[in-house]
Amino acid sequence: QKEVEQDPGPLSVPEGAIVSLNCTYSNSAFQYFMWYRQYSRKGPELLMYTYSSGNKEDGRFTAQVDKSSKYISLFIRDSQPSDSATYLCAMSAGNYGQNFVFGPGTRLSVLP
Amino acid sequence: DAGVIQSPRHEVTEMGQEVTLRCKPISGHNSLFWYRQTMMRGLELLIYFNNNVPIDDSGMPEDRFSAKMPNASFSTLKIQPSEPRDSAVYFCASSLRKGLNQETQYFGPGTRLLVL
């Protein structure tokens, strides 16, 4: 079993749809959870950052962490064609970046 | 701010040749990370430095890979000799670590390496 699992997609949705992206993990020591967006031929850029369990909202994006289920989600409301990218979850136990693990990424296409 | 700068952006070389990838982190950041990304394995952490000192190089695949950070504004990742299986996109990222707080990493645009 991989340490972090993520459905690779591709996921295609119509413009305006609500998108749900998910990751599961096996290491209960993870405390920091991040979502990165990576456009084609670009480096990943940080979208959301959360610590421990709970929800965090930033504009059209909401990140949820359920540590009891070892499950994290990213919701995108009113999706736009510009949201088309690969979304990578990442997580860490802390400690100076040690054990910083990325999921394989989900490729999202938002169709106009 | 210019962000993380990597060079070259593209590199094509022949098997057995030495390859050197370069990274300039964001000014003021004290941590630097080298990653490799492939379709098969996704994004893998190779090595990271804190205050120019290598902290964890357990992700470096083998002795053919080496990384240095001679000062706070420059790092290199060297592959010698290169092999076709080293073909990948290599990313450098930097961050500012404050105490025990987990830092946010900012990625460069990557170097696309093709070893023939």
Side-chain angles (χ1 to χ4, degrees), chain A residues 41, chain B residues 6-13 19-21 88-89 109-114:
Chain A
R41 307 185 80 80
Chain B
Q6 290 187 248
S7 64
R9 294 293 306 276
H10 303 271
E11 177 81 26
V12 181
T13 190
V19 175
T20 300
L21 311 180
V89 182
T111 295
R112 281 184 154 65
L113 173 64
L114 177 61

Side-chain angles (χ1 to χ4, degrees), chain A residues 70-95:
Chain A
K70 298 190 179 68
Y71 188 88
I72 70 171
S73 301
L74 177 71
F75 297 96
I76 308 174
R77 290 183 299 280
D78 187 25
S79 56
Q80 303 294 309
S82 58
D83 295 328
S84 299
T86 296
Y87 290 80
L88 303 110
C89 63
M91 46 199 79
S92 170
N95 299 328

